[in-house]
């Protein structure tokens, strides 16, 4: 199983980025998917989660109204559209998959079945 993130880079504050997470070796529609991030010197934190059929979505308060998580089970890919980015969004962003959890579990438990290696997002002021 592999989760491969892409789309990170350097962006100015107020700009946008779209992260992608391509999954292989698993059938994505069996998994709840999440995005997490880890800023320099800080602990990893939950960002967003999406249920298997996209019917339920959760966000950390700090990104609500700015970030949008989505998925294409046909393409085995999950996305994170990041708009109006801020310097405090600077972090390595990871996607993760879990077969048994629900979206409400992800903010409380980072014990996911699979993790990607991350993609760096740097927001300049």
């Amino acid at each position: 199983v592999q989760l491969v993130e892409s789309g990170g880079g350097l962006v100015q504050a107020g700009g946008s980025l779209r992260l992608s997470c391509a999954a292989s070796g698993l059938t994505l529609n069996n998994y709840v998917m999440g995005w997490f991030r880890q800023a320099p010197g800080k602990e990893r934190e939950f960002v967003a989660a999406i249920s298997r059929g996209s019917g339920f979505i959760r966000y950390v308060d700090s990104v609500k109204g700015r970030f949008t998580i989505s998925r294409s089970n046909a393409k085995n890919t999950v996305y994170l559209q990041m708009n109006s980015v801020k310097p405090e969004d600077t972090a390595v962003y990871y996607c993760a998959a879990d077969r048994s959890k629900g979206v409400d579990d992800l903010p409380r438990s980072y014990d996911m079945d699979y993790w990607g290696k991350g993609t760096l997002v740097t927001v300049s002021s």
Side-chain angles (χ1 to χ4, degrees), residues 57-124:
I57 289 175
R58 299 289 182 266
Y59 297 100
V60 68
D61 285 347
S62 59
V63 308
K64 285 180 181 176
R66 301 188 298 119
F67 290 11
T68 303
I69 188 172
S70 61
R71 65 192 292 163
S72 169
N73 290 335
K75 295 182 179 179
N76 252 25
T77 302
V78 179
Y79 306 96
L80 186 69
Q81 178 66 43
M82 306 169 60
N83 297 330
S84 302
V85 296
K86 303 175 181 180
E88 51 264 42
D89 294 322
T90 294
V92 177
Y93 283 73
Y94 301 89
C95 73
D98 198 277
R99 191 178 177 94
S100 59
K101 287 182 173 58
V103 291
D104 289 330
D105 296 319
L106 268 62
R108 299 191 298 267
S109 171
Y110 297 176
D111 183 21
M112 303 289 283
D113 288 339
Y114 303 106
W115 288 90
K117 293 185 178 180
T119 185
L120 175 63
V121 172
T122 303
V123 182
S124 63

